[in-house]
Amino acid sequence: MARLSHSTVRTVRFYEETGVLQPAHRSEGGHRLFPHAELDKLVLVTDMRAAGLSLDEIKAVLLLKEGAPTGKAASSRALSALRQHVEDMSSRIEALSRLRDELAKAAQFLEHCGACENDAHFPDQCGNCRVMEDRARVPRAVRVLWAVDAPAAGGEDDQASDDDALP
Amino acid sequence: MARLSHSTVRTVRFYEETGVLQPAHRSEGGHRLFPHAELDKLVLVTDMRAAGLSLDEIKAVLLLKEGAPTGKAASSRALSALRQHVEDMSSRIEALSRLRDELAKAAQFLEHCGACENDAHFPDQCGNCRVMEDRARVPRAVRVLWAVDAPAAGGEDDQASDDDALP
DNA sequence: TTGCTCCTCACGTCACGTGAGGTGGC
DNA sequence: TTGCTCCTCACGTCACGTGAGGTGGC
C-alpha cells in the first residue's frame, strides 16, 4: 500500500487510525490487509494532501455521498462541493504560478551580476550599483534577497533616516 | 506588519524568534518596530510558505547572498538555487492541475446522477447502475467517492470473492 | 537461517493556534 | 476613560517522523 501510493507505512497506519482508511483486516501475524479499493482511495487522499487540503477537508469529501436521502441529493451536494474545491485549487495554482514567475524573473535579473567586478560594493553596497539603479525594475525578490533597501550606511545624515515604522 | 502581509501577529513573532525576520527594535512599551524592508521580506516569505516551502528552505533562500566571496559567486549560487525552486514549483503546479482537472471531471460525471430515480440502487448499489457500466470511463475520483468498487453484497458466492490483498 | 518488512508503544517535530493575564497608545 | 492592539508565557494541534524493541513470511 505504502509503496504503491508513494506514501509511507506510518502514513497508512495513521490514516487507518484516524478513519480515513477502513480498519483493515489482519493476517494471522497481525499484518494489515486492505481491499484493492482502499488503494485507489489512498492514492486520491495522498494527492489531495499534496494539494494542500487538510485531512478534515478530505474526510468531508470522502463522505460526500453519505447521509443524503437520494442519489439525486447526494450528487448535487457532491457536485457543488467538488466545484468549490476546483475553484480553490485554481486560485492556489494562480498564486503558485505568480511566485514561480517572480522567482524566474529574479534569477534572470541576477544574470546582470554574473559579470560583477565591483567587489568594493559587493557585500553591503549592492543597492548603490548601477544595475539596481532603476529601483522600480528590480523584482521584489531581488530587492529582498540582495538587501537592496538595507540602510546604506555611507552618508553623513544616516542616523536620522533610519525610519522604523511598522509595529 | 501582520495585516499588510496577510499573515498573523503570532506568525510575525514566530518568524522573529526563529530568525527569519531581523530582531525588531522595540518601542518604549515593548512593541516591535520593523524597518520597511522587513515587510517586503515577510510578504515574500508568506508567499513561499503558501507555495509549500519549509522555513528551512526559505531561510536558505534568504541567505543565498551570504558567505560568497564575490558578487559573481553569490549571483551564480543564487541563480542555480532559484532555478531549482522554479522547476520544483512547476512540478507542483502540474500535479495540482492534474488533480484539479480530475475533480472537475468527477463533478461533470456526477451530473449523470442528477436525474437519478433509481433509489433502489442508490446508497449501496451504484456500482450496478448503467451510468457506471463502462468502468474504464468512470473517473478515479468517482470510483472512490461513489464506492463503485465496494463489495456488491448481492450475489450468492460473495464470501469467496472478498479478496483482500495489500499489506 | 538470513533479510527485509511488518508490528506496537511512545516521544519528537514543524509551523504555528489559542487562551490566560496583563499593558500600550490613540 | 473606553477599545482595540500589543505583550509574554505556556500549552495545544495537525500530520505525520523516528527510534526502541520485537515478530512475520518468503
Side-chain angles (χ1 to χ4, degrees):
Chain A
M1 285 284 278
R3 265 194 312 277
L4 294 175
S5 65
H6 298 276
S7 64
T8 72
V9 184
R10 179 66 177 108
T11 299
V12 173
R13 288 201 273 260
F14 180 69
Y15 287 173
E16 193 209 18
E17 281 172 37
T18 55
V20 172
L21 295 178
Q22 303 305 338
H25 301 142
R26 300 299 184 105
S27 75
E28 286 269 318
H31 287 46
R32 289 169 179 80
L33 293 178
F34 292 95
H36 274 92
E38 290 302 280
L39 177 59
D40 261 356
K41 192 203 281 186
L42 175 55
V43 173
L44 180 61
V45 169
T46 309
D47 289 353
M48 295 178 90
R49 279 290 300 138
L53 303 213
S54 73
L55 275 185
D56 276 353
E57 291 175 304
I58 293 173
K59 282 186 207 171
V61 169
L62 293 177
L63 290 176
L64 279 174
K65 191 188 167 197
E66 249 56 31
T70 66
K72 229 167 160 149
S75 74
S76 99
R77 274 188 24 185
L79 235 131
S80 62
L82 287 178
R83 287 198 172 130
Q84 183 62 55
H85 280 297
V86 168
E87 262 192 59
D88 294 352
M89 292 179 62
S90 292
S91 324
R92 285 179 48 78
I93 289 171
E94 268 192 67
L96 254 166
S97 301
R98 269 197 302 275
L99 181 57
R100 179 193 53 181
D101 294 350
E102 183 184 353
L103 294 191
K105 276 189 189 169
Q108 198 183 335
F109 188 94
L110 284 179
E111 285 177 1
H112 294 320
C113 306
C116 171
E117 302 290 354
N118 202 341
D119 289 345
H121 274 139
F122 166 60
D124 298 321
Q125 305 291 317
C126 290
N128 295 335
C129 184
R130 62 169 181 74
V131 167
M132 307 291 183
E133 217 162 43
D134 190 354
R135 219 38 70 97
R137 300 208 163 213
V138 179
R140 177 186 65 156
V142 172
R143 274 197 328 262
V144 172
L145 297 187
W146 243 240
V148 170
D149 285 334
E156 335 188 296
D157 49 358
D158 239 38
Q159 202 72 4
S161 72
D162 188 1
D163 60 336
D164 292 328
L166 302 164
Chain B
M1 286 285 276
R3 265 195 312 278
L4 294 175
S5 66
H6 298 277
S7 64
T8 72
V9 183
R10 178 66 176 108
T11 299
V12 172
R13 289 201 272 262
F14 180 68
Y15 287 172
E16 194 209 17
E17 280 173 36
T18 54
V20 172
L21 296 177
Q22 302 304 338
H25 300 142
R26 299 300 184 106
S27 75
E28 287 270 317
H31 286 47
R32 288 170 180 80
L33 293 177
F34 292 94
H36 274 91
E38 290 302 280
L39 177 59
D40 262 355
K41 192 203 282 188
L42 176 55
V43 173
L44 180 61
V45 170
T46 309
D47 289 353
M48 295 177 90
R49 279 291 298 138
L53 302 215
S54 75
L55 276 186
D56 276 353
E57 290 175 306
I58 293 174
K59 282 187 208 171
V61 168
L62 293 177
L63 291 176
L64 279 174
K65 191 189 168 197
E66 249 55 32
T70 66
K72 230 166 158 147
S75 73
S76 100
R77 272 188 27 184
L79 235 131
S80 63
L82 287 178
R83 288 199 171 128
Q84 183 62 54
H85 280 296
V86 168
E87 261 192 59
D88 293 352
M89 293 178 61
S90 292
S91 325
R92 284 180 49 78
I93 289 171
E94 267 192 68
L96 253 166
S97 302
R98 270 197 302 274
L99 181 57
R100 179 193 54 182
D101 295 348
E102 184 184 353
L103 294 189
K105 276 189 191 170
Q108 199 184 334
F109 188 94
L110 284 179
E111 285 177 2
H112 294 319
C113 307
C116 170
E117 302 289 356
N118 203 341
D119 290 346
H121 272 141
F122 167 58
D124 298 322
Q125 303 293 316
C126 290
N128 295 335
C129 183
R130 62 168 180 75
V131 167
M132 306 291 180
E133 217 163 42
D134 191 354
R135 220 36 71 95
R137 301 209 162 211
V138 179
R140 177 186 65 155
V142 171
R143 275 200 324 264
V144 173
L145 297 187
W146 242 240
V148 169
D149 285 333
E156 337 187 295
D157 51 356
D158 241 37
Q159 202 72 3
S161 72
D162 187 1
D163 60 336
D164 293 327
L166 302 165

